[in-house]
Amino acid sequence: MSVLITGMGAVTSVGAGVDDTFDALCAGRSGVAELRGFDRTKFRARHAYEIDDRPAPGADVPLRATGWLLDAVAAALRDAELPEDLAGVPVLVGTTLRELRSVELGWCEAAPFDPAELHFGTALRERFGADSTYTVANACSASLYALGLGADLLALGEADTVVVAGVDTITESTYGLLDRVYREAPESVRPFDRDRRGMLQGDGAAAVVLRRESGEYGTRAHARVRGVGLNCDAYHPSAPDSASIERAMREAYRRAGVKAGDIDLVLLHGTGTPLNDEAEAVALRTVLSGASRSPRMTAIKSMIGHTAGASGLHSLITAVQALRSGRVPPTLGLELPIEEVADFRLSREPATDPELRLAQVDSFGFGGLNAVAVVERMA
Amino acid sequence: MRTRVVISGLGTALAGVSGPGALLGAGAPAAGPDPVSTLRGPGLRYKDRATKLALCAAERALRDAGLLDADGAVSDGSEKDGSGADRPDFGVVVSTNWGNVDTVCDTSATIRERGYAATSPMLLPNTASNVTASWVAITHGLRGANVTLCNGPTSGLDAVHWARNLIASGRLTRALVIGVEPVNAPVERLVGGAGDEGVPLLDGAVALVAEAEEAVLARGGRSLAAVGPYARRSDLGAAVSEVRRHETAPPGLWYLPEPPLGAVAPARPDQGSVPTHDLSARFGRCSGALGVLQCVAATAELVRTGHTSVLASAGHGTGPGRQGTGDDAAAALLLLSSSASGGAP
């Protein structure tokens, strides 16, 4: 069963709303900047895609991620013309790092933090009266995984409306460990480029309102979710498995009732990490082999960084806007594509294509968690 | 018609607790060896305590369900007919609230003291809260949907609910559901900081195998209990009323929520003549492990007593979760005897 997207909200380093963010992406504007959140002397890396809404330079405070989440959900409800009352409405929040930045501040600086706020249900209950809330900690595929779980709720008849969201903020521990892992510190995220050095994190949140398909909502829906594939590599805690990613893509096509050759646009996961980019490209090449044409592709982490648990929904919302407007954001920083994507229609320039109808959205996370969605433009 | 989901295997990794049947006793558990002391193999150094505990409970639940062969590999018998050992329809759902707090706190403190170069790159995956579920999947080759819920006091019951949904939606045939919480200094500080100083914390894991009923029957497995109605609501009374909406007989036993974090314990709900049990009184604050612990204990209770149903409940939901006002919501789940579900004895 397909479901409708009737509302969208987003917050990123390049924009405080869905339209602001999409305009910035289409203009090729990047949110990368010098690191502002942490003591720079403790790191080799110097850059991140931050939302710098701290009260003063160097003065971090708890619960910033929660604030972005509430903003994104409120925006999605407004867009869907629904009241801010989520009693009885399931809300699924995908996240990699929850409010663990607040835990770090509590441990290292004794900043006050109520552990009841580690899961997002507490704030969602307080703000929206939401009582059916789930914090889904599924690494960097979390919000697209949550989209699949939310669509299942509608298909099973357990709800008529579901809100799916994603949020993450950069933690000191993950930022430092990423710095430790890469041979050279990246200055930006350059997906599929030969000179890519790795991933940089981004702050952000996103939310969508899903409704069961019916004539009542069809007129104001943004797009239709045709199907979501979910699986796990069961292979390695950090290295992805292209064969498993391929299976997730095929599962998404099967659930959507489409073929790989029907896809017009792919929002790539594209982290700019050597192993990840290669595994995704190999999987795509395999599923597209034999297709009569190659879909357009883009990777927006080149401009908003890796927004982790929110990244799947950021890509999904971008895909929906591309289907609606015919505008495709560029993949910034792509100078010399890796061999695996040499014949893909992946460009560092913005594109216009009013014929886009079906989009594929990829989202993969640590532990081999794969989620792939297929969305369709409303007629 | 919705797929019926049954519980076919149980496992525990709790010091001093010999297995699921021993959850039903009274008094604090006897002293016993650390369950993770049985683990062997490479890579243990970089696995956090929550992951090690979960691996122990998972292995026991799989064995109890009859899903491990003599070599310790997951097997449902279909390998014999040539359909292979692939597990795309076997998933994992983990519930934990404090699981990786230690990695995050210790790493950030190391960076502040000595800089990023003093950290171990092997710990990077452990900063993501799904690390436990991923290691369980890797260890047993479970390639189906893999979900980690960090959902506060109701998280364990929510995990059983999502395992059932994943089976009902056709994504999975079976799921390993694990509830785990570790005890370490960062967790003690975090929970103690909510005004819970001196309250003992559970350090352990429990697991159950949930399967589509027809899959258990097809492989000749045992159906120990069936997963009944579930609800998550703004308060405990509403959640319990919802799951009991179609029940005429009272449950044989009611597992109560543990007290809200840092808040004054609310009055006990009116239980009528139903006997009640608070597992946290015996095992300490269980947090994300509680709901799974209740379901494991309830299943053992159903097998032992012949009750028709046992009620599990977590979270009081009397407030938005701020200190002194209670939990953000409450969840309730009915476990039904396998005969009531029509399953195999």
Side-chain angles (χ1 to χ4, degrees):
Chain A
M1 189 203 77
S2 60
V3 301
L4 301 179
I5 298 172
T6 63
M8 304 193 292
V11 185
T12 66
S13 57
V14 298
V18 163
D19 292 336
D20 277 4
T21 296
F22 189 62
D23 288 344
L25 293 176
C26 289
R29 200 157 63 239
S30 172
V32 75
E34 288 263 311
L35 181 69
R36 288 162 288 184
F38 313 137
D39 177 356
R40 286 184 207 167
T41 65
K42 303 297 185 188
F43 304 94
R44 175 189 52 168
R46 285 285 177 273
H47 297 84
Y49 298 73
E50 294 172 85
I51 297 173
D52 195 16
D53 56 2
R54 299 169 190 87
D60 206 351
V61 292
L63 296 175
R64 287 166 62 242
T66 296
W68 305 329
L69 170 70
L70 297 180
D71 289 347
V73 170
L77 291 175
R78 263 196 314 278
D79 186 34
E81 299 179 7
L82 289 172
E84 286 199 359
D85 176 6
L86 290 172
V89 175
V91 184
L92 285 72
V93 184
T95 181
T96 301
L97 300 169
R98 303 184 274 161
E99 269 295 352
L100 288 168
R101 174 59 183 153
S102 300
V103 172
E104 288 181 346
L105 292 169
W107 182 248
C108 294
E109 299 178 11
F113 177 66
D114 181 347
E117 298 188 290
L118 195 48
H119 64 290
F120 295 109
T122 299
L124 291 164
R125 171 83 192 270
E126 196 167 65
R127 168 75 182 267
F128 303 110
D131 49 21
S132 185
T133 57
Y134 302 97
T135 294
V136 179
N138 260 34
C140 297
S141 65
S143 57
L144 220 56
Y145 237 94
L147 181 82
L149 300 179
D152 287 351
L153 280 182
L154 296 174
L156 290 167
E158 299 230 335
D160 296 319
T161 304
V162 173
V163 174
V164 177
V167 66
D168 260 307
T169 185
I170 304 168
T171 61
E172 212 167 348
S173 49
T174 305
Y175 189 83
L177 283 167
L178 283 166
D179 203 4
R180 180 78 177 79
V181 164
Y182 298 134
R183 201 178 307 154
E184 285 181 273
E187 292 181 357
S188 62
V189 178
R190 299 180 63 183
F192 305 102
D193 189 86
R194 283 171 201 262
D195 289 333
R196 67 200 189 286
R197 291 187 196 161
M199 176 262 276
L200 287 171
Q201 293 168 275
D203 289 327
V208 294
V209 176
L210 302 181
R211 302 196 88 149
R212 195 196 304 268
E213 180 142 18
S214 76
E216 187 184 346
Y217 308 119
T219 51
R220 59 169 184 259
H222 295 303
R224 182 181 284 116
V225 180
R226 289 281 299 263
V228 186
L230 307 175
N231 78 350
C232 175
D233 295 351
Y235 169 66
H236 191 276
S238 58
D241 174 13
S242 66
S244 179
I245 290 172
E246 180 194 328
R247 282 192 291 276
M249 290 176 180
R250 294 193 192 281
E251 170 72 2
Y253 302 152
R254 187 186 67 76
R255 286 182 170 263
V258 304
K259 302 186 295 295
D262 298 331
I263 302 292
D264 302 307
L265 173 69
V266 181
L267 265 288
L268 297 155
H269 185 62
T271 58
T273 314
L275 287 175
N276 281 271
D277 285 358
E278 195 177 305
E280 181 175 22
V282 167
L284 260 177
R285 284 180 75 95
T286 310
V287 298
L288 289 169
S289 65
S292 57
R293 66 192 178 114
S294 171
R296 287 187 183 277
M297 299 185 193
T298 190
I300 61 170
K301 291 182 183 64
S302 59
M303 292 172 281
I304 61 171
H306 196 345
T307 54
S311 66
L313 272 194
H314 280 140
S315 288
L316 181 92
I317 289 170
T318 304
V320 169
Q321 289 171 299
L323 294 177
R324 284 165 61 88
S325 68
R327 297 157 70 200
V328 180
T331 302
L332 210 65
L334 184 65
E335 306 284 350
L336 282 170
I338 59 172
E339 190 183 330
E340 290 83 356
V341 302
D343 52 358
F344 286 178
R345 292 168 74 198
L346 182 62
S347 158
R348 69 157 292 151
E349 301 301 327
T352 303
D353 186 345
E355 300 303 314
L356 304 174
R357 192 181 67 84
L358 270 180
Q360 169 182 338
V361 185
D362 291 351
S363 193
F364 314 125
F366 270 161
L369 305 188
N370 305 315
V372 178
V374 174
V375 287
E376 181 183 39
R377 185 177 77 185
M378 301 304 289
Chain B
M1 189 179 140
R2 227 183 129 138
T3 307
R4 207 150 21 193
V5 174
V6 299
I7 294 171
S8 60
L10 307 172
T12 62
L14 298 161
V17 175
S18 57
L23 295 174
L24 308 176
D34 186 344
V36 308
S37 62
T38 61
L39 287 175
R40 299 285 180 272
L44 283 180
R45 184 178 170 197
Y46 298 109
K47 290 190 180 80
D48 60 27
R49 179 155 180 85
T51 298
K52 291 176 188 171
L53 288 164
L55 285 170
C56 292
E59 199 264 0
R60 291 167 193 174
L62 288 170
R63 193 169 297 286
D64 186 50
L67 285 165
L68 289 185
D69 65 18
D71 299 326
V74 171
S75 166
D76 64 2
S78 62
E79 298 81 0
K80 295 172 197 141
D81 62 20
S83 55
D86 203 14
R87 305 280 163 224
D89 62 344
F90 200 153
V92 180
V93 184
V94 166
S95 166
T96 184
N97 292 317
W98 323 130
N100 70 335
V101 161
D102 54 345
T103 300
V104 169
C105 289
D106 293 345
T107 304
S108 58
T110 299
I111 290 168
R112 288 188 182 214
E113 286 161 21
R114 293 182 284 149
Y116 83 99
T119 62
S120 165
M122 296 295 285
L123 293 179
L124 177 58
N126 299 21
T127 63
S129 306
N130 67 309
V131 62
T132 294
S134 295
W135 270 120
V136 171
I138 292 165
T139 303
H140 295 290
L142 308 181
R143 287 156 54 176
N146 184 293
V147 175
T148 297
L149 284 165
C150 302
N151 211 40
T154 66
S155 194
L157 293 182
D158 301 332
V160 177
H161 159 71
W162 282 106
R164 190 244 303 271
N165 273 4
L166 286 163
I167 294 168
S169 60
R171 293 190 186 276
L172 300 178
T173 301
R174 47 184 69 94
L176 191 49
V177 183
I178 300 164
V180 58
E181 295 294 2
V183 172
N184 48 58
V187 170
E188 285 176 326
R189 163 103 76 93
L190 183 66
V191 181
D196 259 9
E197 291 94 340
V199 175
L201 303 175
L202 173 106
D203 178 54
V206 284
L208 60 86
V209 176
E211 295 189 66
E213 187 171 48
E214 60 269 24
V216 179
L217 295 172
R219 69 177 180 85
R222 298 166 308 155
S223 169
L224 304 174
V227 180
Y230 155 91
R232 197 176 193 275
R233 295 288 185 274
S234 59
D235 66 78
L236 182 60
V240 168
S241 297
E242 176 58 27
V243 300
R244 299 207 62 250
R245 197 152 52 103
H246 300 297
E247 300 292 312
T248 49
L253 181 64
W254 179 356
Y255 287 108
L256 296 172
E258 62 191 18
L261 198 61
V264 176
R268 286 197 157 198
D270 176 19
Q271 71 266 25
S273 58
V274 178
T276 59
H277 195 63
D278 175 3
L279 286 165
S280 73
R282 183 170 183 220
F283 294 103
R285 178 175 288 286
C286 305
S287 195
L290 178 67
V292 185
L293 181 68
Q294 290 176 334
C295 290
V296 170
T299 301
E301 181 77 6
L302 285 167
V303 169
R304 184 180 70 89
T305 61
H307 289 319
T308 304
S309 69
V310 171
L311 174 63
S313 61
H316 290 270
T318 47
R322 295 223 176 269
Q323 281 193 30
T325 57
D327 304 321
D328 66 309
L333 179 74
L334 269 186
L335 278 299
L336 310 172
S337 75
S338 57
S339 56
S341 78

